[in-house]
Amino acid sequence: VGKSCGFAQQSQATPMWVRAQPELFPQEVPGMSEDLLAQVSSPGGSLEEKIEAVADVFRCSARHLESLQQVLRRRALENRQKSVDEKSRLPDEVEEVISEGTYLDSFLEAFDGQSFLLHSEEIVPSHEYRLALEVHSGGAYWKSIPVQDGAAVRHKVETVGASSPAEGSANIISQFGAAQRGAVFVWRWQHVLDSGPYNLPDWLEKALGAEGNDPLRKLQGELEALRRWEQQVQQETCQYLKKGAEIKDIYIREVLKLWPSETDHQGFTQAKKCAWVEGLDANLFTGRTVLVHQVPYDSSHTLALHASIARRQVDELDKEQSPPYRLTTSWKWLRDPRPAGGTGGGSAGSTGASAPAGESTPT
């Protein structure tokens, strides 16, 4: 009673809610199933295959949405008609064009330069796929051309997909030129910066975060960069063979160190296909495939060089002319790469790409 001044202290109700922390409950990743996300997030394996798998899923999602265009147009009209906000309502002429899919020439003059958003959906992490009706009268070019009375002539509203060369343009004028005339349904990608956060692997988050609106073009750019990086790495095959940084067998390391090389037509040094090895028992360095060198692309993907030396079948007559040992090399992505302190020069915007799984013989 002392602290309540003679009045009974009121009991305070315990809060029945807690504040959720976004990082504790990551959002579902748009356009990616749990299996796909687990596949592309696991360390090791071919990064090229991961990029292609993600791109295929995103592309299929876009094509599926495009196939629903009729339904989406009808739904957009229904939602706007039910809305109590007069500003969200469309002019009757616009609703007619969206519903019927045809327009008159007078419609172009009345709504020239306007765009009407019909549907927007995030089907790729931080990227929305949008359907809009865009109207263009053709500008000054068409003003000098007499147009027939269009009172009875209705033109079909064509559809422009997101696979055109200038995808991501602000409108159809910047995409096809100012002289384009007509009303079109346009599909476009839009990078949404305030969505997420999503639990994505580092390479995918970096690729999708690049400048631009089209996620498929971003993934293609990453794929091309990866392939350029891999080609650069493979051009150093001969140097890696002679260094033998990962070779544990002292005999094979010494043989590869002394293996003859030559310069190809592009000026790169490469190991010869075949060679003589004297003063050493063939059983000490043939018939085994060894890890020669590892080149990390990022912290989760490493390209590894393997090599093997085999005996050749040589005729007695050609014994002095044909070297008896053949060298075979192969570059492969490691399934379980070891942690790397640095990267091998690969990045989403600069270099990049695929790992061949087959073996190759130096030429």
Side-chain angles (χ1 to χ4, degrees), residues 38-90:
Q39 174 188 345
V40 301
S41 299
S42 60
S46 171
L47 181 55
E48 177 185 19
E49 294 179 359
K50 294 180 181 179
I51 296 175
E52 291 177 339
V54 171
D56 288 343
V57 171
F58 290 169
R59 189 178 297 107
C60 289
S61 298
R63 298 297 87 85
H64 174 69
L65 207 57
E66 291 174 0
S67 68
L68 300 176
Q69 178 176 312
Q70 295 278 4
V71 176
L72 298 176
R73 285 161 48 189
R74 183 168 60 252
R75 184 185 302 171
L77 291 176
E78 293 174 353
N79 292 339
R80 290 177 183 271
Q81 291 171 356
K82 294 178 181 178
S83 176
V84 296
D85 186 5
E86 292 295 331
K87 294 183 179 180
S88 65
R89 299 292 299 273
L90 296 173

Side-chain angles (χ1 to χ4, degrees), residues 229-230 232-233 240 295-299 301 340-347 351:
W229 173 82
E230 185 185 4
Q232 294 173 0
V233 169
Y240 294 140
V295 184
Y297 181 77
D298 57 24
S299 59
H301 300 89
T343 63
S347 65
T351 45

Side-chain angles (χ1 to χ4, degrees), residues 12-265:
Q12 297 181 354
T14 304
M16 301 300 293
W17 53 271
V18 294
R19 185 181 299 275
Q21 300 296 326
E23 60 272 13
L24 298 180
F25 303 94
Q27 301 183 34
E28 182 179 354
V29 180
M32 299 184 68
S33 65
E34 293 183 1
D35 291 341
L36 176 62
L37 190 59
Q39 174 188 345
V40 301
S41 299
S42 60
S46 171
L47 181 55
E48 177 185 19
E49 294 179 359
K50 294 180 181 179
I51 296 175
E52 291 177 339
V54 171
D56 288 343
V57 171
F58 290 169
R59 189 178 297 107
C60 289
S61 298
R63 298 297 87 85
H64 174 69
L65 207 57
E66 291 174 0
S67 68
L68 300 176
Q69 178 176 312
Q70 295 278 4
V71 176
L72 298 176
R73 285 161 48 189
R74 183 168 60 252
R75 184 185 302 171
L77 291 176
E78 293 174 353
N79 292 339
R80 290 177 183 271
Q81 291 171 356
K82 294 178 181 178
S83 176
V84 296
D85 186 5
E86 292 295 331
K87 294 183 179 180
S88 65
R89 299 292 299 273
L90 296 173
D92 294 340
E93 298 89 341
V94 176
E95 290 189 353
E96 181 183 7
V97 171
I98 296 174
S99 176
E100 301 296 331
T102 60
Y103 64 91
L104 300 172
D105 286 319
S106 58
F107 176 79
L108 303 181
E109 301 297 335
F111 298 95
D112 179 36
Q114 298 188 45
S115 178
F116 305 94
L117 181 64
L118 304 181
H119 183 77
S120 180
E121 184 175 342
E122 187 178 3
I123 60 174
V124 171
S126 302
H127 292 76
E128 293 181 350
Y129 203 39
R130 298 179 174 182
L131 173 64
L133 172 67
E134 295 186 359
V135 186
H136 301 283
S137 64
Y141 174 82
W142 281 94
K143 288 184 178 181
S144 60
I145 299 177
V147 180
Q148 298 178 354
D149 183 12
V153 179
R154 301 192 67 89
H155 307 279
K156 180 182 178 182
V157 182
E158 302 293 344
T159 299
V160 179
S163 58
S164 55
E167 182 178 351
S169 302
N171 53 52
I172 196 172
I173 287 183
S174 57
Q175 184 164 324
F176 295 106
Q180 293 297 321
R181 177 181 175 86
V184 292
F185 294 118
V186 182
W187 286 100
R188 297 194 190 284
W189 290 102
Q190 180 62 44
H191 191 184
V192 184
L193 299 178
D194 58 352
S195 65
Y198 302 116
N199 186 19
L200 301 175
D202 292 341
W203 66 266
L204 181 56
E205 184 175 2
K206 189 173 184 179
L208 295 179
E211 183 179 357
N213 291 314
D214 185 352
L216 296 177
R217 286 178 177 266
K218 295 178 183 180
L219 291 176
Q220 182 61 32
E222 176 69 13
L223 191 59
E224 293 173 354
L226 180 60
R227 288 171 177 160
R228 289 194 300 269
W229 173 82
E230 185 185 4
Q231 184 178 18
Q232 294 173 0
V233 169
Q234 292 183 357
Q235 290 172 352
E236 304 295 327
T237 298
C238 186
Q239 286 78 358
Y240 294 140
L241 287 172
K242 293 185 177 299
K243 290 180 181 178
E246 301 289 341
I247 302 177
K248 306 303 181 183
D249 190 298
I250 59 174
Y251 300 106
I252 297 178
R253 182 169 64 241
E254 189 65 21
V255 170
L256 292 179
K257 181 179 180 181
L258 301 176
W259 196 272
S261 59
E262 59 187 0
T263 303
D264 62 13
H265 64 283

